Amino acid sequence: MTDGKDIAGAIASGYLGVAIELDQINGVGTLLVPGDRVNIILSVYVSQLALSNTTNPKLPVAVEGGKDVTTKMVIQNRKVIATLLPTPAAVAATPAAVAATPAAVAAPTTPTVQNDGRHMVAIIEVKPDEAEIISWAQREEKTDTQSYIDLTVALRSDQDNSLPKADTPGITFKMLVDKYGVLPPDPRAIIPQDIAKNLQW
């Protein structure tokens, strides 16, 4: 896409073009190109319940509510309309005193993408209600590593564009424990020993 060129004609009727900032982790390595189809996964940190003992003042027990992550694929099979990558760094100018015979510069025959932490902006074609999800997630995001919203773009196979939407259950920590056998933290480490000794874990 060229700056100043109208891209509205590339958007299907009934859809909107929404910009999402991506990095090399949540943006498929920043290898997306216009025409790719993607799914969008939303992850949200949510506060868990806090527990406290209010019936026996001799046993003051308070377990703070921690943070848990809930993740769900909220948008599926959406087209990338355009991508915006950072401008390549300018090549340092050679001093005039040594510029009489330009030195040969090695260049790859094909562009190479490296893991250099680069970011990109992808313009994605979505339904109006999906645009609201993306806007909420991007505005609600916080810098605190324990309280943030994250959007991840997953690249689809171009052979799956005609398939119906996948029915996914989403995932929480409890589901990881129940379904996949992930070990939860031992509560006996954060409660008084005289109570912990009576717990079976």
Side-chain angles (χ1 to χ4, degrees):
M1 295 294 179
T2 304
D3 189 19
K5 180 181 178 181
D6 179 23
I7 66 171
I11 303 173
S13 177
Y15 287 79
L16 301 171
V18 175
I20 300 180
E21 183 181 2
L22 301 169
D23 58 32
Q24 291 185 300
I25 301 301
N26 65 12
V28 199
T30 63
L31 296 174
L32 297 174
V33 296
D36 280 340
R37 293 272 177 167
V38 297
N39 293 356
I40 300 177
I41 303 167
L42 173 65
S43 295
V44 183
Y45 269 99
V46 293
S47 297
Q48 296 177 303
L49 293 177
L51 304 177
S52 60
N53 177 18
T54 60
T55 59
N56 189 345
K58 295 182 179 181
L59 292 174
V61 178
V63 180
E64 295 184 0
K67 297 288 186 180
D68 195 5
V69 182
T70 177
T71 300
K72 184 72 173 71
M73 187 178 298
V74 292
I75 301 171
Q76 297 189 40
N77 198 8
R78 294 295 176 251
K79 184 170 64 175
V80 177
I81 300 299
T83 56
L84 292 78
L85 289 169
T87 303
V91 179
T94 304
V98 295
T101 53
V105 178
T109 56
T110 58
T112 302
V113 177
Q114 298 181 351
N115 183 10
D116 55 8
R118 77 174 182 177
H119 286 232
M120 74 182 301
V121 174
I123 312 299
I124 301 179
E125 179 185 80
V126 297
K127 289 285 191 179
D129 60 321
E130 298 167 346
E132 293 175 342
I133 295 174
I134 293 171
S135 179
W136 175 86
Q138 294 184 138
R139 293 295 177 264
E140 188 71 12
E141 185 174 0
K142 301 177 182 178
T143 57
D144 180 5
T145 56
Q146 292 299 311
S147 179
Y148 70 94
I149 312 297
D150 183 58
L151 289 171
T152 298
V153 170
L155 180 63
R156 294 173 60 95
S157 167
D158 58 6
Q159 301 177 37
D160 293 343
N161 294 337
S162 60
L163 295 181
K165 290 184 177 181
D167 183 14
T168 64
I171 193 71
T172 64
F173 181 73
K174 184 177 186 303
M175 294 170 65
L176 289 173
V177 173
D178 295 343
K179 185 175 181 179
Y180 299 101
V182 174
L183 297 177
D186 190 338
R188 294 174 296 183
I190 59 173
I191 61 178
Q193 292 185 357
D194 56 341
I195 298 177
K197 66 182 181 181
N198 296 318
L199 292 179
Q200 293 184 354
W201 188 256

